[in-house]
Amino acid sequence: KVGEGLRPAADRRHSMAVGKATVAAVNVLLWYRKGLRVHDSPALVAACDGAAHVYPVFCLDPWFVSSGSVGPLRLRFLCEALNDLDRSLKARGSRLLVLRGKPEEEIPRAIRKWGVERLVFESDGVEPYALARDVAVCEGARKAGVTHIVETQGHTLCDLDELLRECKGQPVTSYSVFQKHFASVVRRAPIAPVATPERIPSSATDSNCGASLSPPTVEEVAPDLAGTTSLFPGGETEAL
């Protein structure tokens, strides 16, 4: 059936109401993946909620480079987007921390090092690799000491799992039926932008987050393009 196996039942939804007050301030790791932005970001809002320190992280996964589907132009676009996100976070008292390596290894390692208790990320994966990666990261995070995992919606207009439940796992054969299902989902969870935090709780200390975690340069990820002009720069600022 359509949708079967998309997300293991144990990891389909680690939810927490955005804005809900927490009992005590905690250290939070915000795992950036596709949604490299600060505006209208439910994941960022959820990370800041009740946080003592927020560690915004992006993991440069070697799998994407070795897959052969990522060329130098795409890597430069990613580099520009990461550096733009870093500037936006710095304007709000934070910074982007870029890990280099497999997410299922690097994120649990960072969680242990920084004493993180909550992991937050935006639901954005439907590819088999991404789904398996998310399960592995969540399992590693729990073993590393995380007590709360928050998966928010924001990459798509509505929760894709909710759409699949509307059609009971069967293929939709007409657009009118899809519209009906979509309308039903957004009635239960209306589409509304969230406010952008003016300030983000900073990471604990600079010693915990050294210069080696800075975003990559174009020379690092796409050396053949070093010194060339980007006709379509990456980043939220350019998009806005």
Side-chain angles (χ1 to χ4, degrees):
K1 292 182 180 180
V2 175
E4 282 189 345
L6 281 185
R7 195 184 304 277
D11 285 275
R12 289 188 68 177
R13 185 64 54 240
H14 308 282
S15 61
M16 180 184 71
V18 174
K20 181 180 178 181
T22 53
V23 175
V26 297
N27 290 340
V28 182
L29 190 148
L30 170 59
W31 179 19
Y32 274 105
R33 293 113 68 85
K34 293 179 181 177
L36 303 178
R37 67 187 191 278
V38 296
H39 294 88
D40 190 21
S41 173
L44 177 58
V45 173
C48 293
D49 179 37
H53 304 289
V54 173
Y55 296 86
V57 162
F58 181 88
C59 195
L60 272 178
D61 189 343
W63 181 86
F64 288 103
V65 178
S66 63
S67 68
S69 62
V70 182
L73 291 175
R74 187 175 173 187
L75 287 172
R76 178 172 68 181
F77 189 89
L78 172 62
C79 175
E80 291 167 344
L82 292 173
N83 279 275
D84 180 71
L85 176 59
D86 184 46
R87 289 188 291 271
S88 295
L89 291 170
K90 285 179 176 176
R92 292 163 175 81
S94 184
R95 60 173 288 200
L96 182 64
L97 307 168
V98 178
L99 308 177
R100 290 158 172 82
K102 297 179 179 179
E104 61 269 27
E105 297 174 358
E106 298 303 323
I107 289 178
R109 183 179 293 123
I111 285 170
R112 291 188 185 94
K113 181 177 181 180
W114 300 330
V116 169
E117 299 159 87
R118 187 197 309 159
L119 171 64
V120 180
F121 60 91
E122 183 176 81
S123 176
D124 58 19
V126 294
E127 308 90 348
Y129 171 78
L131 294 172
R133 174 206 61 197
D134 291 356
V135 171
V137 168
C138 288
E139 290 176 351
R142 294 188 190 98
K143 293 177 182 177
V146 161
T147 58
H148 200 173
I149 298 176
V150 183
E151 184 178 355
T152 67
Q153 293 297 321
H155 184 65
T156 54
L157 287 174
C158 69
D159 187 336
L160 300 184
D161 290 336
E162 289 295 322
L163 274 179
L164 288 172
R165 278 189 279 273
E166 284 290 322
C167 66
K168 297 179 174 60
Q170 298 298 321
V172 175
T173 57
S174 71
Y175 189 68
S176 60
V177 173
F178 169 79
Q179 284 182 310
K180 178 182 177 181
H181 292 167
F182 179 78
S184 177
V185 172
V186 297
R187 253 195 318 271
R188 295 194 299 269
I191 301 169
V194 298
T196 304
E198 295 183 2
R199 299 292 295 175
I200 299 169
S202 64
S203 53
T205 63
D206 287 337
S207 61
N208 280 349
C209 310
S212 62
L213 298 181
S214 297
T217 62
V218 174
E219 289 76 10
E220 179 183 348
V221 299
D224 292 343
L225 298 178
T228 62
T229 301
S230 180
L231 298 179
F232 303 99
E236 177 184 32
T237 301
E238 181 72 15
L240 293 175

